[in-house]
Amino acid sequence: MKKISILFVCMFIGLTVNAQTEEELKKEQAPKKAQIAKLQSEVDALQSKIDALPGWRIGAFGTIGASLSGFNNWYARTAPNTSAGNIGITVNAYANLIKEDYFWRNSGTVNLGWVKIDNKDIATDSDKFESATDVFSITSLYGKRLNKKWALSALGEYRTTILDNFNDPGYLDLGAGLTWTPTERLVVVMHPGNYNFVFSNNSTAFNSSVGAKIVADYTASYHKLSVKSNLSIFQSYEDSNLSNWTWTNSFGYTIWKGIGVGFEFGLRNNKQEALNNALVNFDSSTVFPAPAAPTFDTVDNKLQTYWVFGLNYNL
């Protein structure tokens, strides 16, 4: 009995010592964390000053996401013999020349995706990866400063796909107006004079027009986190059906030697693309009497979306 009592006493003392030791260690740890936070804020402040200096700023980061799977005689599935895959790649890059009296900002975005679903029991089922997400855009903005925050500017922006139907459609915006740069990270373009050239073999759905161009771009790095958000809007003066907008957002968090995790999502509204898609898939031969072909007034213009999550690399 005495041995058991001594054992409980020893365990109690040991737990007490461990608790005290953990508490003491946490007390020592707290001021060190505060020092790290203070040093990081000082580093960020110095980086902001470096970013404000005249000269080139060049950078890039991207995300790769992949998922592959295979089933053989897996009878719990409707299709027991199947292979599937999903691959997505995104790259965001920029090269900006910042001077005291002018700036020249250039950026590019590529987002490519492939998918495969192969039912091996169906001989005609494709075993190849088919293109899914397909986004390509480049932007060049020149500005002559009126003061630190405002500039007279000219913008060129080109958007298309590169895996399927290159330049069909393709969009080229050329315009001039004002650019507001409240910080080094945020750029807002306001161009009331802009022409939206649309290149396509389908003249029924796609038309060029004069309008206003608004672009808001936010690019920043917070220690290990890289962020890029871009909103591009074209408002046609001729017909609201010819207006469009695209909003993309990219995030990359570095864990080790430039490698980390990344996430990107995009939204788009484009009635011309919706009508083109409806016309491509329109088949009047299956119904009698034959229905009328889709038009701008009848087409269902749903919100377009995409997203990619996977490994990220920051240059």
Side-chain angles (χ1 to χ4, degrees), residues 157 159 171 173 194-198 205-214 231-246 267-275 296 299 301-304:
E157 180 185 81
R159 310 182 309 282
Y171 305 89
D173 280 290
N194 184 91
Y195 197 83
N196 179 235
F197 294 91
V198 184
F206 295 101
N207 290 283
S208 304
S209 65
V210 177
K213 185 73 174 181
I214 299 175
L231 174 64
S232 179
I233 302 172
F234 172 72
Q235 181 62 49
S236 175
Y237 294 148
E238 300 178 26
D239 188 340
S240 61
N241 291 319
L242 306 181
S243 303
N244 62 78
W245 60 265
T246 301
L267 307 173
R268 174 178 289 174
N269 185 284
N270 191 314
K271 203 165 188 178
Q272 294 185 88
E273 292 180 352
L275 178 58
F296 279 124
V299 70
N301 182 27
K302 296 179 180 179
L303 180 67
Q304 304 176 46

Side-chain angles (χ1 to χ4, degrees), residues 107 136-141 154-160 170-175 189 191 194-197 199 213-217 230-234 244-246 248 268:
S107 64
F136 174 79
S137 67
I138 53 175
T139 301
S140 185
L141 174 68
L155 172 72
E157 180 185 81
Y158 178 70
R159 310 182 309 282
T160 187
Y171 305 89
L172 175 62
D173 280 290
L174 296 175
V189 178
H191 286 177
N194 184 91
Y195 197 83
N196 179 235
F197 294 91
F199 309 101
K213 185 73 174 181
I214 299 175
V215 178
D217 185 273
N230 182 276
L231 174 64
S232 179
I233 302 172
F234 172 72
N244 62 78
W245 60 265
T246 301
T248 58
R268 174 178 289 174

Side-chain angles (χ1 to χ4, degrees), residues 7-174:
L7 179 60
F8 276 111
V9 170
C10 290
M11 290 177 62
F12 177 76
I13 293 173
L15 290 172
T16 304
V17 171
N18 287 337
Q20 290 175 343
T21 303
E22 182 180 357
E23 186 177 348
E24 291 172 356
L25 289 173
K26 286 183 177 180
K27 286 183 178 180
E28 292 182 17
Q29 187 185 54
K32 295 185 183 297
K33 284 185 175 181
Q35 291 176 5
I36 293 174
K38 182 180 179 182
L39 288 173
Q40 186 59 54
S41 64
E42 293 177 358
V43 170
D44 292 341
L46 289 173
Q47 185 62 50
S48 297
K49 292 182 179 180
I50 293 172
D51 293 341
L53 294 174
W56 282 98
R57 291 107 161 94
I58 300 174
F61 69 95
T63 300
I64 299 176
S67 173
L68 303 174
S69 62
F71 297 88
N72 292 303
N73 302 320
W74 198 263
Y75 296 118
R77 290 176 49 87
T78 303
N81 300 292
T82 307
S83 64
N86 190 322
I87 301 173
I89 301 173
T90 70
V91 178
N92 294 280
Y94 64 88
N96 301 330
L97 177 61
I98 308 299
K99 294 290 187 178
E100 292 184 2
D101 57 343
Y102 72 92
F103 57 78
W104 183 29
R105 297 175 176 270
N106 305 276
S107 64
T109 299
V110 178
N111 187 311
L112 306 177
W114 298 265
V115 295
K116 177 184 79 167
I117 300 178
D118 176 26
N119 188 338
K120 299 176 184 178
D121 295 326
I122 300 176
T124 57
D125 208 20
S126 175
D127 61 352
K128 298 180 180 180
F129 278 91
E130 305 291 341
S131 60
T133 308
D134 193 355
V135 179
F136 174 79
S137 67
I138 53 175
T139 301
S140 185
L141 174 68
Y142 177 83
K144 180 65 175 179
R145 295 190 186 277
L146 300 174
N147 51 49
K148 290 184 178 181
K149 294 185 177 182
W150 290 93
L152 294 173
S153 57
L155 172 72
E157 180 185 81
Y158 178 70
R159 310 182 309 282
T160 187
T161 57
I162 56 178
L163 296 178
D164 292 326
N165 306 318
F166 176 74
N167 202 43
D168 185 20
Y171 305 89
L172 175 62
D173 280 290
L174 296 175

